[in-house]
Amino acid sequence: MVEELKGAIALVGYGLAAIGPGIGIGIVVGNAITAMARQPEAAAVARTTMFLGIAFTEALALIGFVLFFIA
Amino acid sequence: MELILASGACDPAEEIICAPADVLELFEFKEALFSIGGFHFTKTVFLIFLAMVIVLAMLFFGLRGNRVVPTKFGTAVESMITFVKDEVAIGIIGPEGARYTPYLLSLFLFIIVGNLFEVTPFINFPIMSRMALPLFMAVMTWVIFVFVGFAKNQHHYFFDTIWPKSVPVALRPLVGLIELVSIFVLRPITLAVRLFANMVAGHLMLTLLLASGWIFMSSVGDIGARAVIGVPWFLFGLGIYVFEIVVAVLQAYIFTLLSAVYIQTSVHPEH
Protein backbone atom coordinates (compact mmCIF):
# COMPACT_ATOMS: atom_id res chain seq x y z
CA MET A 1 0.00 0.00 0.00
CA VAL A 2 2.68 2.48 1.03
CA GLU A 3 4.83 1.43 -1.92
CA GLU A 4 1.97 2.12 -4.31
CA LEU A 5 1.33 5.54 -2.81
CA LYS A 6 4.97 6.58 -2.88
CA GLY A 7 5.06 7.96 -6.41
CA ALA A 8 1.78 9.83 -5.96
CA ILE A 9 2.95 11.40 -2.68
CA ALA A 10 6.18 12.53 -4.35
CA LEU A 11 4.11 14.18 -7.09
CA VAL A 12 1.95 16.01 -4.55
CA GLY A 13 5.11 17.04 -2.69
CA TYR A 14 6.61 18.54 -5.81
CA GLY A 15 3.35 20.36 -6.50
CA LEU A 16 3.43 21.86 -3.02
CA ALA A 17 7.10 22.78 -3.41
CA ALA A 18 6.27 24.70 -6.58
CA ILE A 19 3.64 26.96 -4.98
CA GLY A 20 5.94 29.16 -2.91
CA PRO A 21 8.60 29.78 -5.56
CA GLY A 22 5.84 30.40 -8.12
CA ILE A 23 4.43 33.23 -6.02
CA GLY A 24 7.94 34.42 -5.16
CA ILE A 25 9.14 34.62 -8.76
CA GLY A 26 5.94 36.46 -9.66
CA ILE A 27 6.65 39.08 -7.01
CA VAL A 28 10.33 39.39 -7.99
CA VAL A 29 9.66 39.81 -11.70
CA GLY A 30 6.65 42.05 -11.18
CA ASN A 31 8.59 44.45 -9.01
CA ALA A 32 11.57 44.35 -11.38
CA ILE A 33 9.26 45.36 -14.25
CA THR A 34 7.86 48.19 -12.14
CA ALA A 35 11.38 49.36 -11.38
CA MET A 36 12.40 49.18 -15.05
CA ALA A 37 9.28 51.07 -16.14
CA ARG A 38 9.84 53.81 -13.59
CA GLN A 39 13.54 54.19 -14.18
CA PRO A 40 14.49 52.86 -17.62
CA GLU A 41 18.05 54.14 -17.14
CA ALA A 42 18.49 51.70 -14.23
CA ALA A 43 17.13 48.76 -16.25
CA ALA A 44 20.48 46.96 -16.42
CA VAL A 45 20.89 46.90 -12.65
CA ALA A 46 17.28 45.85 -12.15
CA ARG A 47 17.66 43.03 -14.66
CA THR A 48 20.79 41.60 -13.03
CA THR A 49 19.20 41.80 -9.60
CA MET A 50 16.01 40.23 -10.96
CA PHE A 51 17.92 37.22 -12.28
CA LEU A 52 19.64 36.87 -8.92
CA GLY A 53 16.31 37.00 -7.12
CA ILE A 54 14.79 34.47 -9.49
CA ALA A 55 17.76 32.16 -9.00
CA PHE A 56 17.50 32.26 -5.21
CA THR A 57 13.73 31.79 -5.21
CA GLU A 58 13.79 29.06 -7.81
CA ALA A 59 16.20 26.94 -5.76
CA LEU A 60 13.38 25.74 -3.51
CA ALA A 61 11.29 24.50 -6.42
CA LEU A 62 14.30 22.74 -7.89
CA ILE A 63 15.13 21.02 -4.61
CA GLY A 64 11.53 19.81 -4.59
CA PHE A 65 11.98 18.55 -8.13
CA VAL A 66 15.12 16.60 -7.19
CA LEU A 67 13.44 15.17 -4.09
CA PHE A 68 10.63 13.97 -6.35
CA PHE A 69 13.10 11.67 -8.10
CA ILE A 70 14.89 10.64 -4.93
CA ALA A 71 11.67 9.76 -3.07
CA MET B 1 15.83 7.48 -31.43
CA GLU B 2 17.26 4.61 -29.41
CA LEU B 3 20.09 7.04 -28.70
CA ILE B 4 17.92 9.10 -26.36
CA LEU B 5 15.15 6.71 -25.35
CA ALA B 6 17.26 3.75 -24.31
CA SER B 7 14.23 1.61 -23.50
CA GLY B 8 12.71 0.36 -26.73
CA ALA B 9 9.82 -1.13 -24.76
CA CYS B 10 6.98 1.22 -25.60
CA ASP B 11 3.62 -0.07 -26.71
CA PRO B 12 1.73 2.74 -28.48
CA ALA B 13 -1.49 0.74 -28.32
CA GLU B 14 -1.53 0.74 -24.51
CA GLU B 15 0.31 3.82 -23.28
CA ILE B 16 -0.51 7.51 -23.63
CA ILE B 17 3.04 8.75 -23.22
CA CYS B 18 6.12 6.59 -23.69
CA ALA B 19 7.92 6.99 -20.37
CA PRO B 20 10.98 4.84 -19.67
CA ALA B 21 10.64 2.24 -16.93
CA ASP B 22 13.55 3.78 -15.05
CA VAL B 23 14.28 7.46 -15.51
CA LEU B 24 18.02 6.84 -15.10
CA GLU B 25 18.00 5.20 -18.52
CA LEU B 26 17.90 8.67 -20.03
CA PHE B 27 21.00 9.85 -18.21
CA GLU B 28 23.33 6.85 -17.90
CA PHE B 29 25.42 5.58 -20.74
CA LYS B 30 26.79 2.26 -19.59
CA GLU B 31 28.58 0.97 -22.69
CA ALA B 32 31.89 2.63 -23.51
CA LEU B 33 32.42 4.13 -26.95
CA PHE B 34 36.11 3.25 -26.72
CA SER B 35 38.68 2.63 -23.99
CA ILE B 36 42.21 3.85 -23.48
CA GLY B 37 44.15 1.76 -20.98
CA GLY B 38 41.28 0.82 -18.68
CA PHE B 39 39.72 4.29 -18.88
CA HIS B 40 36.34 3.93 -20.52
CA PHE B 41 35.03 6.72 -22.68
CA THR B 42 31.26 6.71 -22.39
CA LYS B 43 29.16 9.22 -24.27
CA THR B 44 29.18 11.57 -21.27
CA VAL B 45 32.97 11.55 -20.90
CA PHE B 46 33.36 12.02 -24.62
CA LEU B 47 31.02 15.02 -24.56
CA ILE B 48 32.92 16.61 -21.67
CA PHE B 49 36.12 16.47 -23.70
CA LEU B 50 34.25 17.70 -26.77
CA ALA B 51 32.98 20.71 -24.82
CA MET B 52 36.54 21.43 -23.69
CA VAL B 53 37.85 21.23 -27.25
CA ILE B 54 35.03 23.46 -28.55
CA VAL B 55 35.71 26.12 -25.92
CA LEU B 56 39.46 26.06 -26.54
CA ALA B 57 38.98 26.17 -30.33
CA MET B 58 36.49 29.03 -30.02
CA LEU B 59 38.92 31.10 -27.97
CA PHE B 60 41.92 30.16 -30.13
CA PHE B 61 40.35 30.90 -33.51
CA GLY B 62 38.41 33.90 -32.23
CA LEU B 63 41.39 35.69 -30.72
CA ARG B 64 44.16 34.43 -33.03
CA GLY B 65 46.51 37.05 -34.38
CA ASN B 66 46.60 40.73 -33.63
CA ARG B 67 44.20 42.10 -36.21
CA VAL B 68 43.29 45.73 -36.58
CA VAL B 69 39.87 44.73 -37.91
CA PRO B 70 38.69 41.52 -36.21
CA THR B 71 36.68 38.93 -38.11
CA LYS B 72 32.96 38.49 -37.46
CA PHE B 73 33.62 35.39 -35.37
CA GLY B 74 36.38 37.18 -33.48
CA THR B 75 34.01 40.05 -32.68
CA ALA B 76 31.43 37.62 -31.34
CA VAL B 77 33.98 35.91 -29.09
CA GLU B 78 35.34 39.24 -27.95
CA SER B 79 31.90 40.59 -27.10
CA MET B 80 31.21 37.45 -25.03
CA ILE B 81 34.50 37.93 -23.14
CA THR B 82 33.75 41.62 -22.65
CA PHE B 83 30.32 40.73 -21.33
CA VAL B 84 31.73 38.35 -18.70
CA LYS B 85 34.50 40.78 -17.78
CA ASP B 86 32.51 44.02 -17.60
CA GLU B 87 29.02 42.89 -16.62
CA VAL B 88 29.81 39.96 -14.34
CA ALA B 89 33.37 40.22 -13.01
CA ILE B 90 33.83 43.99 -12.68
CA GLY B 91 30.12 44.80 -12.46
CA ILE B 92 29.49 42.50 -9.51
CA ILE B 93 32.81 42.12 -7.70
CA GLY B 94 34.15 45.63 -8.29
CA PRO B 95 37.43 46.90 -9.76
CA GLU B 96 39.47 44.03 -8.33
CA GLY B 97 37.07 41.60 -9.99
CA ALA B 98 39.08 41.66 -13.21
CA ARG B 99 41.47 39.05 -11.81
CA TYR B 100 38.59 36.56 -11.49
CA THR B 101 37.65 36.97 -15.17
CA PRO B 102 39.55 33.87 -16.40
CA TYR B 103 37.78 31.62 -13.90
CA LEU B 104 34.35 33.10 -14.56
CA LEU B 105 34.89 33.04 -18.31
CA SER B 106 35.90 29.37 -18.31
CA LEU B 107 32.86 28.54 -16.18
CA PHE B 108 30.55 30.49 -18.48
CA LEU B 109 31.85 29.06 -21.75
CA PHE B 110 32.09 25.47 -20.51
CA ILE B 111 28.57 25.52 -19.05
CA ILE B 112 27.04 27.22 -22.06
CA VAL B 113 28.59 24.69 -24.48
CA GLY B 114 27.69 21.77 -22.21
CA ASN B 115 24.11 23.00 -21.87
CA LEU B 116 23.64 23.66 -25.57
CA PHE B 117 24.50 19.99 -26.25
CA GLU B 118 20.95 19.43 -25.01
CA VAL B 119 19.49 21.07 -28.10
CA THR B 120 22.21 20.07 -30.56
CA PRO B 121 20.79 17.55 -33.03
CA PHE B 122 22.35 14.05 -32.84
CA ILE B 123 23.92 14.81 -29.43
CA ASN B 124 20.83 15.71 -27.39
CA PHE B 125 22.43 15.28 -24.02
CA PRO B 126 23.24 18.09 -21.59
CA ILE B 127 26.40 17.02 -19.75
CA MET B 128 25.37 19.22 -16.82
CA SER B 129 22.53 16.79 -16.11
CA ARG B 130 25.09 14.54 -14.40
CA MET B 131 25.51 15.81 -10.86
CA ALA B 132 29.30 15.33 -10.79
CA LEU B 133 30.03 18.24 -13.11
CA PRO B 134 27.93 21.03 -11.56
CA LEU B 135 28.91 19.81 -8.10
CA PHE B 136 32.59 19.92 -8.96
CA MET B 137 32.28 23.44 -10.34
CA ALA B 138 30.26 24.56 -7.31
CA VAL B 139 32.90 23.12 -4.97
CA MET B 140 35.56 24.95 -6.96
CA THR B 141 33.66 28.23 -6.47
CA TRP B 142 33.26 27.35 -2.78
CA VAL B 143 37.01 26.81 -2.37
CA ILE B 144 37.72 30.13 -4.10
CA PHE B 145 35.31 32.24 -2.06
CA VAL B 146 36.26 30.67 1.27
CA PHE B 147 39.96 31.04 0.46
CA VAL B 148 39.50 34.67 -0.67
CA GLY B 149 37.42 35.39 2.42
CA PHE B 150 40.13 34.17 4.77
CA ALA B 151 42.91 35.77 2.75
CA LYS B 152 41.21 39.21 2.70
CA ASN B 153 39.74 39.30 6.22
CA GLN B 154 41.75 36.69 8.14
CA HIS B 155 39.78 35.17 11.01
CA HIS B 156 37.22 38.02 10.89
CA TYR B 157 35.65 36.30 7.89
CA PHE B 158 34.58 33.34 10.01
CA PHE B 159 33.87 35.11 13.30
CA ASP B 160 31.90 37.96 11.74
CA THR B 161 29.79 35.33 10.05
CA ILE B 162 28.86 33.42 13.21
CA TRP B 163 28.68 36.59 15.39
CA PRO B 164 27.29 39.31 13.07
CA LYS B 165 27.89 42.76 14.61
CA SER B 166 25.10 44.43 12.61
CA VAL B 167 22.17 42.66 14.33
CA PRO B 168 20.92 43.02 17.94
CA VAL B 169 22.80 40.93 20.49
CA ALA B 170 19.85 38.72 21.31
CA LEU B 171 19.49 37.64 17.70
CA ARG B 172 23.19 37.10 16.99
CA PRO B 173 23.38 33.35 17.82
CA LEU B 174 20.35 32.60 15.65
CA VAL B 175 21.39 34.76 12.70
CA GLY B 176 24.95 33.50 13.04
CA LEU B 177 23.84 29.88 12.86
CA ILE B 178 21.64 30.55 9.82
CA GLU B 179 24.45 32.46 8.11
CA LEU B 180 26.98 29.73 8.91
CA VAL B 181 24.83 26.97 7.40
CA SER B 182 23.71 29.02 4.43
CA ILE B 183 27.18 30.24 3.48
CA PHE B 184 29.27 27.14 4.01
CA VAL B 185 26.78 24.34 3.32
CA LEU B 186 23.78 25.53 1.34
CA ARG B 187 25.58 27.81 -1.13
CA PRO B 188 27.52 25.14 -3.03
CA ILE B 189 24.60 22.71 -2.87
CA THR B 190 22.01 25.11 -4.26
CA LEU B 191 24.47 26.39 -6.84
CA ALA B 192 25.03 22.87 -8.14
CA VAL B 193 21.43 21.68 -7.80
CA ARG B 194 20.05 24.70 -9.66
CA LEU B 195 22.06 23.97 -12.80
CA PHE B 196 21.66 20.20 -12.48
CA ALA B 197 17.89 20.21 -11.93
CA ASN B 198 17.23 22.68 -14.75
CA MET B 199 19.12 20.50 -17.19
CA VAL B 200 17.52 17.27 -15.94
CA ALA B 201 14.05 18.78 -16.24
CA GLY B 202 14.75 20.08 -19.72
CA HIS B 203 16.24 16.82 -20.96
CA LEU B 204 13.37 14.80 -19.47
CA MET B 205 10.68 16.96 -21.04
CA LEU B 206 12.36 17.04 -24.44
CA THR B 207 13.03 13.31 -24.49
CA LEU B 208 9.61 12.21 -23.30
CA LEU B 209 7.65 14.59 -25.52
CA LEU B 210 9.70 14.26 -28.71
CA ALA B 211 10.32 10.50 -28.36
CA SER B 212 6.69 9.80 -27.46
CA GLY B 213 5.42 11.93 -30.29
CA TRP B 214 7.76 10.30 -32.76
CA ILE B 215 6.92 6.75 -31.62
CA PHE B 216 3.20 7.41 -31.90
CA MET B 217 3.42 9.14 -35.27
CA SER B 218 5.76 6.54 -36.77
CA SER B 219 3.54 3.62 -35.71
CA VAL B 220 0.54 5.03 -37.56
CA GLY B 221 0.23 1.80 -39.56
CA ASP B 222 -0.30 -0.31 -36.43
CA ILE B 223 -2.54 1.86 -34.28
CA GLY B 224 -4.39 3.92 -36.89
CA ALA B 225 -6.19 7.01 -35.63
CA ARG B 226 -4.58 6.77 -32.18
CA ALA B 227 -1.37 8.01 -33.78
CA VAL B 228 -2.89 11.52 -33.68
CA ILE B 229 -1.96 11.58 -29.96
CA GLY B 230 1.64 11.94 -31.07
CA VAL B 231 1.09 15.21 -32.96
CA PRO B 232 0.38 17.48 -29.96
CA TRP B 233 3.18 15.76 -27.99
CA PHE B 234 5.64 16.46 -30.77
CA LEU B 235 4.50 20.07 -31.28
CA PHE B 236 4.61 20.72 -27.53
CA GLY B 237 8.11 19.21 -27.52
CA LEU B 238 9.20 21.59 -30.28
CA GLY B 239 7.85 24.51 -28.24
CA ILE B 240 9.83 23.34 -25.20
CA TYR B 241 12.87 22.95 -27.49
CA VAL B 242 12.98 26.70 -28.14
CA PHE B 243 12.40 27.40 -24.46
CA GLU B 244 15.31 25.09 -23.55
CA ILE B 245 17.74 27.13 -25.67
CA VAL B 246 16.86 30.14 -23.51
CA VAL B 247 17.19 28.06 -20.32
CA ALA B 248 20.60 26.71 -21.38
CA VAL B 249 22.04 30.19 -21.90
CA LEU B 250 20.31 31.66 -18.86
CA GLN B 251 21.55 28.94 -16.52
CA ALA B 252 25.13 29.40 -17.68
CA TYR B 253 24.72 33.13 -16.99
CA ILE B 254 23.16 32.56 -13.57
CA PHE B 255 25.84 30.08 -12.48
CA THR B 256 28.56 32.57 -13.46
CA LEU B 257 26.67 35.46 -11.88
CA LEU B 258 26.17 33.64 -8.58
CA SER B 259 29.81 32.54 -8.48
CA ALA B 260 30.73 36.22 -8.87
CA VAL B 261 28.25 37.26 -6.15
CA TYR B 262 29.65 34.68 -3.73
CA ILE B 263 33.21 35.83 -4.41
CA GLN B 264 32.05 39.43 -3.96
CA THR B 265 30.63 38.72 -0.49
CA SER B 266 34.06 37.39 0.51
CA VAL B 267 35.97 40.31 -0.99
CA HIS B 268 33.72 42.94 0.65
CA PRO B 269 31.99 41.49 3.71
CA GLU B 270 29.06 43.71 4.68
CA HIS B 271 30.09 45.05 8.06
Side-chain angles (χ1 to χ4, degrees), chain A residues 6-55:
Chain A
K6 225 173 154 185
I9 292 175
L11 268 177
V12 173
Y14 174 61
L16 290 175
I19 295 175
I23 298 170
I25 291 177
I27 293 173
V28 168
V29 177
N31 284 332
I33 291 172
T34 315
M36 285 183 218
R38 283 191 178 181
Q39 288 190 305
E41 67 274 12
V45 182
R47 197 177 302 115
T48 311
T49 320
M50 179 186 81
F51 280 129
L52 274 180
I54 291 177

Side-chain angles (χ1 to χ4, degrees), chain B residues 58-69:
Chain B
M58 207 161 72
L59 291 175
F60 179 74
F61 290 112
L63 306 175
R64 185 174 50 170
N66 205 356
R67 300 185 201 86
V68 178
V69 181

Side-chain angles (χ1 to χ4, degrees), chain B residues 60-120:
Chain B
F60 179 74
F61 290 112
L63 306 175
R64 185 174 50 170
N66 205 356
R67 300 185 201 86
V68 178
V69 181
T71 57
K72 284 177 188 166
F73 181 65
T75 316
V77 173
E78 270 177 30
S79 68
M80 204 141 60
I81 295 172
T82 317
F83 169 74
V84 173
K85 190 181 175 197
D86 290 348
E87 300 289 319
V88 181
I90 295 178
I92 299 282
I93 304 178
E96 65 264 58
R99 52 192 297 224
Y100 301 104
T101 309
Y103 174 66
L104 295 173
L105 183 71
S106 4
L107 272 188
F108 182 70
L109 290 180
F110 183 64
I111 296 175
I112 208 171
V113 170
N115 282 354
L116 284 176
F117 280 156
E118 181 187 10
V119 286
T120 312

Side-chain angles (χ1 to χ4, degrees), chain A residues 44 47-49 51-66 68-69, chain B residues 23 87 92 189-190 193-198 200-201 204 250-251 253-254 257-258 261-262:
Chain A
R47 197 177 302 115
T48 311
T49 320
F51 280 129
L52 274 180
I54 291 177
F56 284 126
T57 321
E58 189 192 40
L60 294 170
L62 293 173
I63 290 171
F65 177 77
V66 172
F68 163 68
F69 284 108
Chain B
V23 78
E87 300 289 319
I92 299 282
I189 295 177
T190 51
V193 164
R194 178 175 302 114
L195 178 58
F196 163 76
N198 267 295
V200 168
L204 260 180
L250 197 64
Q251 287 306 316
Y253 172 58
I254 285 182
L257 190 70
L258 282 178
V261 168
Y262 292 160

